[in-house]
Amino acid sequence: MTTTTEHPAVVGKMSTLDRYLAVWIGAAIVAGLLLGRMIPGLGEALSFIEIDGISLPIALGLLIMMYPVLAKVRYDRLDTVTGDRKLLVGSLLLNWILGPALMFALAWLMLPDLPEYRTGLIIVGLARCIAMVVIWNDLACGDREAATVLVAINSVFQVIMFAVLGWFYLSVVPGWLGLEQTTLDVSPWQIAESVLIFLGIPLIAGFLTRHFGEKANGRQWYEDKFLPKIGPWALYGLLFTIVILFALQGEQITSRPLDVVRIALPLLAYFALMWGGGYLLGAAIGLGYERTTTLAFTAAGNNFELAIAVAIGTFGVTSGQALAGVVGPLIEVPVLVALVYVSLALRKRFTGQAAVATS
């Protein structure tokens, strides 16, 4: 997030911050769980710090996390992404057709006897990632401009399609199959509010920073001097978010370990299949390493904040649906961190193939 991704064509020496990324994230998860378990009432106290269902501590962490990455985006190059029909169509298919259908299937196959957790997982599958995915993409040296465009597209589709797909997968499809049906009470404004806060604010801030920074001092100063100074704050924001997130639900997670394991299994299968499917599709249609990586991570990530908010708003803070939403990032964070390292290992193969093709 610091030296290795400033210029994607050049592989620099990783900073200490980046080299021990897995250690920092693991420590943040443990710290959050311990804080939530050891300090009575901490989770309840943190949950009260919110406006209209949006957790202010988590919102603060996400905004700090996303701003440096979105400030790195070269907005004058976005047209090179919007013209890539293979990338855009592939992303829409993975995110809005395969993703929800896969989570529906895994939830019913692996949790047939646990309807609350099953519903919670289906909600997670509907909430496509618009925030943390920019971090995973950046760490894996994916295409920042492509990630920005795909996240923006997911945001628009999320506002339009979330409630529709919730009705479809919780009521219509189960009805066709003779299975138990559920209703989902969520307003388009609730979804739009999440999008505006977690994507709109840092996106506008990043765009304005680059515009006025380059205008005042030029692109070379902006990328060589300014960006390295703000770059580490993305990881600081990520770690802060993880600590707060797990502190909020630490007691619930640690007091129900067997339930967490049951919920974790379909999530592990989901993340692996979505990421692997994204990589295979990107490689098959010749997107190259950067955009293949972006396609894979945007397909695998989920908007945990929206999923948790919807589950709590509809079923209650102590519901099984809410617990399933909380377990989502518990599994997603370490799994996608591991996939960052897998991506960086695959980068050599993509680079080697490109070298052979041009020789």
Side-chain angles (χ1 to χ4, degrees):
M1 210 176 312
T2 52
T3 59
T4 56
T5 56
E6 299 304 328
H7 302 284
V10 179
V11 181
K13 183 179 179 181
M14 293 184 74
S15 69
T16 300
L17 200 62
D18 289 342
R19 191 181 301 117
Y20 297 104
L21 172 69
V23 175
W24 311 138
I25 289 179
I29 291 174
V30 172
L33 291 173
L34 290 176
L35 286 172
R37 183 73 179 183
M38 296 173 63
I39 303 178
L42 177 62
E44 292 182 6
L46 290 173
S47 66
F48 282 127
I49 310 174
E50 61 180 34
I51 296 177
D52 199 18
I54 302 295
S55 168
L56 292 185
I58 290 180
L60 176 63
L62 289 173
L63 294 177
I64 294 173
M65 175 189 77
M66 292 183 67
Y67 165 68
V69 179
L70 292 173
K72 294 176 183 178
V73 173
R74 291 182 174 179
Y75 292 91
D76 56 354
R77 293 175 51 185
L78 293 184
D79 59 335
T80 66
V81 180
T82 56
D84 190 340
R85 292 186 179 182
K86 293 187 293 185
L87 174 67
L88 300 182
V89 172
S91 178
L92 289 174
L93 289 174
L94 288 169
N95 277 286
W96 297 102
I97 296 180
L98 178 61
L102 177 62
M103 188 67 91
F104 173 85
L106 290 172
W108 273 99
L109 286 172
M110 304 180 77
L111 300 174
D113 57 328
L114 298 170
E116 290 189 357
Y117 298 155
R118 184 176 64 236
T119 298
L121 286 184
I122 292 173
I123 293 173
V124 170
L126 300 177
R128 313 313 302 169
C129 196
I130 64 169
M132 202 169 283
V133 69
V134 299
I135 291 290
W136 312 134
N137 179 73
D138 209 48
L139 288 167
C141 300
D143 188 317
R144 289 193 192 111
E145 289 72 34
T148 302
V149 171
L150 296 186
V151 163
I153 291 174
N154 277 345
S155 300
V156 173
F157 268 78
Q158 203 149 234
V159 174
I160 298 172
M161 297 300 298
F162 187 92
V164 175
L165 288 174
W167 165 73
F168 182 72
Y169 281 107
L170 293 174
S171 181
V172 176
V173 176
W176 290 345
L177 301 176
L179 303 172
E180 181 181 349
Q181 296 172 285
T182 308
T183 58
L184 185 64
D185 182 18
V186 58
S187 69
W189 168 243
Q190 182 181 9
I191 303 166
E193 185 179 40
S194 175
V195 169
L196 290 172
I197 291 174
F198 297 124
L199 178 62
I201 292 175
L203 182 62
I204 292 171
F207 172 79
L208 293 176
T209 300
R210 177 173 279 276
H211 175 75
F212 289 109
E214 288 189 358
K215 187 175 181 180
N217 298 289
R219 174 162 289 187
Q220 183 173 354
W221 171 88
Y222 183 83
E223 296 192 344
D224 294 344
K225 300 293 184 181
F226 179 74
L227 288 182
K229 290 182 179 179
I230 66 170
W233 282 94
L235 181 53
Y236 302 153
L238 172 64
L239 297 177
F240 175 81
T241 302
I242 291 171
V243 170
I244 296 298
L245 178 67
F246 290 108
L248 279 166
Q249 301 292 338
E251 184 175 358
Q252 189 172 206
I253 290 173
T254 55
S255 63
R256 301 161 76 176
L258 293 180
D259 288 356
V260 169
V261 171
R262 287 290 305 272
I263 297 168
L265 293 176
L267 283 168
L268 285 169
Y270 173 83
F271 293 133
L273 290 171
M274 289 300 294
W275 186 89
Y279 240 92
L280 289 174
L281 177 60
I285 61 180
L287 291 181
Y289 173 79
E290 286 78 11
R291 290 190 177 179
T292 294
T293 297
T294 300
L295 182 66
F297 279 101
T298 51
N302 291 89
N303 186 351
F304 63 83
E305 175 66 14
L306 175 61
I308 294 171
V310 169
I312 291 175
T314 304
F315 303 103
V317 69
T318 61
S319 65
Q321 291 88 343
L323 177 61
V326 170
V327 174
L330 175 68
I331 305 304
E332 178 178 343
V333 169
V335 168
L336 292 191
V337 169
L339 291 175
V340 166
Y341 289 99
V342 175
S343 291
L344 293 173
L346 291 173
R347 188 181 189 185
K348 297 178 181 178
R349 177 170 296 184
F350 273 84
T351 303
Q353 291 175 345
V356 170
T358 56
S359 62

